[in-house]
Amino acid sequence: MDRLHARLAARTRPATGFRSNPEPRMIGHFARGRQLLAGNFLFSGQLVEAPNTSIWDAVTQVDASAPEVHGFAWLDDLAAVGDNKARMAAQTWLHDWIDRYGQGGGDGWTPDVTGRRLIRWIAHGFFLLRGADKDASEAYFRSAAQQAIFLSRRWKATRSGLPRFEAVAGMIYAGLSLQGIEDRVTPAIAMLTRDCDRQIGPDGGIASRNPEELLEILTLLTWVETALTEAEHPVPSALREAMGRIAPTLRALRHSDGGLARFHGGGRGLDGWLDQALAAVGTMEQPDRTLQMGYGRLAAGRTTLITDVAPPPGGVSAAQAHASTLAMEVTSGRRPLIVNCGSGVSFGPDWRRAGRATPSHSTLGIDTRSSSLLSTQRDGSEVMTDGPVEVQSEISTVADGYRLAMAHDGYRVSHGLTHVRTLDLTLDGRAIAGEDLLTILDPEDEPVFDRALDAETLQGIPWSVRFHLHPEVEAAVDLGGAAVSLTQKSGEIWVFRQDGAEDMRLEASVYLENGRLRPRAAQQVVLSGRALSYATRIRWSLSKAQDVPTALRDVDDPAALEF
């Protein structure tokens, strides 16, 4: 159906110019832009090295549809480079797309991708049209108008979540900016108003529980608000209210280095992106000490600790869900310390699947089993199933700091066990005390544990607690193996100790990060042992042994800023 409407739209009248041209507010990646200009293209985990080649020829060399490429997000990266070579490449690749796909063919004719593409075309309009001749300019406006007509007919069919917001925002952008499309704005604003009420929860969260996706939605809303204001068009109260709900939630998911917690397929975001979006909202409302979108946050001194304390999202939103229940991340000042491996989507299906498993997160796991299992659907997609039914948590104040107590029953069906985790952060942010407990809470679960123990020939049920380290953290086991020293690039040193594990060791890990050509090598601290009884307790601690001299700290340390 999308292809049919795309071809019909290609026959419509063209726009003749801009009514108004919103300024580009996207933050591109300079390094990624340089990679593109050098002919290094990364598609679905496959690197194509093709200097002096169109991006559309490069993408045909891999077995992958390329909605990200058709969404023209790479325009942000070329604009970040901003020189004449980058502009020429952007213009050439844009007109190459018009020649190849402008009549309704290719993978780019879905409402969400079209909305994403139109926003980039319009926001970078002067960058794309500078020095262009009359024929090139007319082709640009004709294609933009055709895409706007297609959007006006198909955005209602877009699935909820980020795709719907992209499609509707693209329609509004086009209607406000392009001549001849003005009458398409009002219905799109009505849909946006409805989605703000329905898709943004009372706590400012979304169904996917993906922090970076929530940031993308807030960014789109701020862009739309600005575009409406500049066009002297009324801004719906529902839009501003949704932004007001989202902002405190994102502040709760903001680490002290200014980046987002990396859960459920989301990354940390480009440097400055989160703070720019929060500043655009124009409010300073801070989160309270409750859960935000299913995450718990402890913050003190220069340290933040963010933990996933809810089941993985279900339904359509489960497509990118991770088995990360009770996993945590810790950041000190500008330096991440404990992380999750992250999303492997950009590195291919094997990395994507591995990144979603519990062993790729900083939490306890039984053997190599995930707390939620991946199930392959008929359409080939994988969703989380057989995960925690009940997740409990409580944030409280203790004598010397703050406590986050939580539990999940993701291993109850398979082993009869409940994972209970308690995290304490001192008032000065210099120490974290943790306890992981595998226990039976209901006598009815004892036979399940006994059967699982029998399957291991009474040798005990193997478990491990993993603490994945950021690639810039250097780890070393101290003499005697009693502790692990964690040295950050700034010179700050943390010491990790434990009590209750049979073994403590360092293992290789990876840090999966969008925009990189390959995964980054890292390390992880692994505690392991075997559960032989109805209760197994592991205690551990992180304490700062050496601080960073004040004179060596970055002047713009985000830990001292409020957004």
Side-chain angles (χ1 to χ4, degrees), residues 49-68:
E49 297 180 276
N52 303 315
T53 299
S54 169
I55 193 172
W56 310 113
D57 288 326
V59 76
T60 61
Q61 299 182 35
V62 299
D63 182 19
S65 62
E68 290 301 320

Side-chain angles (χ1 to χ4, degrees), residues 88-110:
M88 294 296 293
Q91 292 175 338
T92 299
W93 294 350
L94 178 140
H95 290 288
D96 196 8
W97 185 91
I98 293 174
D99 291 341
R100 298 182 188 216
Y101 309 112
Q103 298 304 307
D107 297 315
W109 287 95
T110 60

Side-chain angles (χ1 to χ4, degrees), residues 66 232 273 434 499:
E232 299 182 350
W273 177 20
D499 176 33

Side-chain angles (χ1 to χ4, degrees), residues 245-392:
R245 295 197 302 274
I246 292 172
T249 299
L250 285 176
R251 288 189 178 99
L253 298 173
R254 177 188 185 271
H255 277 297
S256 57
D257 66 341
L260 280 169
R262 299 175 356 125
F263 288 97
H264 295 295
R268 71 179 306 278
L270 293 174
D271 290 343
W273 177 20
L274 173 58
D275 290 339
Q276 182 188 64
L278 291 175
V281 175
T283 64
M284 295 297 291
E285 182 181 352
Q286 300 298 312
D288 55 22
R289 290 192 179 277
T290 60
L291 299 187
Q292 306 289 333
M293 202 167 75
Y295 297 98
R297 182 181 196 261
L298 301 180
R302 302 177 68 242
T303 302
T304 52
L305 187 157
I306 300 175
T307 306
D308 184 358
V309 287
V316 175
S317 299
Q320 293 299 328
H322 286 210
S324 58
T325 309
L326 305 198
M328 70 173 191
E329 292 194 324
V330 178
T331 297
S332 177
R334 291 183 66 94
R335 305 290 176 181
L337 183 66
I338 307 296
V339 298
N340 297 308
C341 290
S343 172
V345 169
S346 63
F347 301 104
D350 291 340
W351 280 112
R352 183 177 72 89
R353 188 179 183 90
R356 298 175 71 182
T358 296
S360 294
H361 298 81
S362 293
T363 187
L364 178 145
I366 291 182
D367 199 5
T368 57
R369 180 187 176 92
S370 288
S371 56
S372 299
L373 302 182
L374 278 174
S375 175
T376 303
Q377 306 299 293
R378 290 183 177 180
D379 62 0
S381 63
E382 295 176 323
V383 298
M384 288 291 173
T385 60
D386 300 326
V389 174
E390 186 175 4
V391 182
Q392 300 178 343

Side-chain angles (χ1 to χ4, degrees), residues 198-222:
R198 293 185 178 182
Q199 297 193 46
I200 309 301
D203 67 343
I206 54 176
S208 70
R209 299 190 57 236
N210 180 327
E212 191 174 24
E213 185 173 302
L214 182 63
L215 174 56
E216 291 188 62
I217 290 174
L218 177 63
T219 302
L220 288 170
L221 296 182
T222 62

Side-chain angles (χ1 to χ4, degrees), residues 16-29:
T16 56
F18 286 124
R19 296 178 63 221
S20 65
N21 183 216
E23 291 292 326
R25 294 175 175 86
M26 302 79 175
I27 299 177
H29 199 293

